[in-house]
Amino acid sequence: MKKAHILGGGPAGLYLALLLRQLDYRVEVWERNPRDNTFGWGVVFSDATVAAFEEPDPAFYAALKRSLRTWENVDIIYRGTLTSVAGNRFSGIARIELLRVLQERCSQLGVVLHFGADITDPSSLRDCDLLVGADGVHSLLRQHYAALFQPQLSLGSNRYIWYGTRAPFGGLTLTFRQRGRDLFMAHSYKYSEELSTFIVEVDQDTWSRLRTLTEEQGRELLEQVFATELRGEPLLSNNSRWIQFTQVHNEHWWAENMVLLGDALHTAHFSIGSGTKLAMEDALALWRTLRDGGDLAAFEAARRPKLERFLEAARTSQKWFETVRERLELEVLPFCYQTMIRSSRLDDDSLRRRDPDFVARYEAYQARTMPP
Ligand SMILES: Cc1cc2nc3c(=O)[nH]c(=O)nc-3n(C[C@H](O)[C@H](O)[C@H](O)COP(=O)(O)OP(=O)(O)OC[C@H]3O[C@@H](n4cnc5c(N)ncnc54)[C@H](O)[C@@H]3O)c2cc1C
């Protein structure tokens, strides 16, 4: 029987672990956190992503489906006006619930899970057929073998902070709010009956005036700025702090018996809500390659082109949010239209299929305002 060692018990590591059990690997996972401790709030998946989990492990798929909350709309709040765009079906789940479902399935399948195991020297895990670095954006495995993976990291210019709230959001809500010279952008969505994720993003200029605030002062300010949307509910902190988005790129995905997955391998800006999806799809792609008798080179060859297209869309969306100020002259409808097509994953036709009424209203606006 082959032996796989996985560093990191996040979505990528745990999903790969349960899939490898089906290929008759002995699998051990090392995770520094205790079993029920994690950062963050909710994560989202598209319908297509969830559907792809069914074939490889129906039991995991069924357990996941029971925990998902689904919605249809993207709501954009700009200049105080709410515009709903229909046909954007997504599902949300608390990160901690996703990890619980994954851990439970791993245990059922006989994966050995080591919690509270902070690995400081990844070379101690190398004695195996496959060593997987699923240890997140600050991956130690990637760092330790940087000469082999040749990573490049870069920071986005905006700052963002990730909160939760009991304010009742429905679908994904993007709120743009100007206060004096400051510009605040909130990405919020419901992921359980009681809780929503509430990420606030600010540009460099705004940050230059916020940077001296304490964590508490900053939170109070955001509660004032978004008082209407939060409806008096506080922002809930879970180790929340302002950070810059780290873009991760690796020249080489694998080396010898080692491979990187998920955020250790690549990151996708949170504005397209796909980090967890991509991490788990990496695991799926690796499982599929190994199942079909391929090696790590075959995994990279099959997965890389598809992934690059997605990452390009994520970079475009990130840039869009970093330069929103340039579009603040736009009226409500064109601004919302631009917001929807920002990553170029949606175009006029696909948007029309999702919400013909919204596109018709936008076209009517264009016809009204176009010079003769
Ligand atoms: C603000 C924000 C919002 C986001 N929103 C979404 C969203 O809506 N939808 C979505 O799909 N994704 C979202 N993401 C992205 C998502 O959180 C990540 O992309 C996803 O968790 C990646 O999974 P992973 O398994 O690769 O890494 P991680 O989830 O980071 O897991 C890595 C694990 O490795 C462990 N680890 C690291 N180093 C060691 C070590 N030395 N020893 C032992 N254990 C170690 C860590 O404790 C961690 O549990 C968001 C991210 C951010 C920052």
Side-chain angles (χ1 to χ4, degrees), residues 35 43 54-55 61 69 85 117 121 129 142 162 177 189 230 240 253 260 265 267 274 289 313 337 348 365:
R35 184 181 277 272
V43 298
E54 184 167 15
E55 183 227 327
Y61 171 77
R69 295 288 168 275
V85 185
D121 176 10
D129 298 286
R142 185 185 69 216
W162 200 356
R177 179 130 309 138
Y189 51 86
L230 292 171
S240 304
W253 285 23
L260 299 173
L265 179 61
T267 51
S274 296
T289 304
Y337 185 85
D348 198 65
Y365 166 87

Side-chain angles (χ1 to χ4, degrees), residues 232-298:
E233 289 289 341
L235 288 174
L236 308 171
S237 174
N238 175 359
N239 224 350
S240 304
R241 59 199 173 86
W242 288 100
I243 47 177
Q244 285 164 282
F245 183 78
T246 307
Q247 238 178 51
V248 174
H249 170 86
N250 285 278
E251 200 54 37
H252 301 289
W253 285 23
W254 60 277
E256 300 162 9
N257 65 338
M258 299 179 291
V259 65
L260 299 173
L261 284 195
D263 276 11
L265 179 61
H266 52 72
T267 51
H269 192 247
F270 53 85
S271 58
I272 64 164
S274 296
T276 308
K277 158 205 157 79
L278 293 179
M280 292 176 67
E281 287 177 350
D282 286 350
L284 209 50
L286 179 55
W287 166 78
R288 215 170 265 132
T289 304
L290 296 174
R291 181 198 62 185
D292 298 344
D295 56 11
L296 296 178

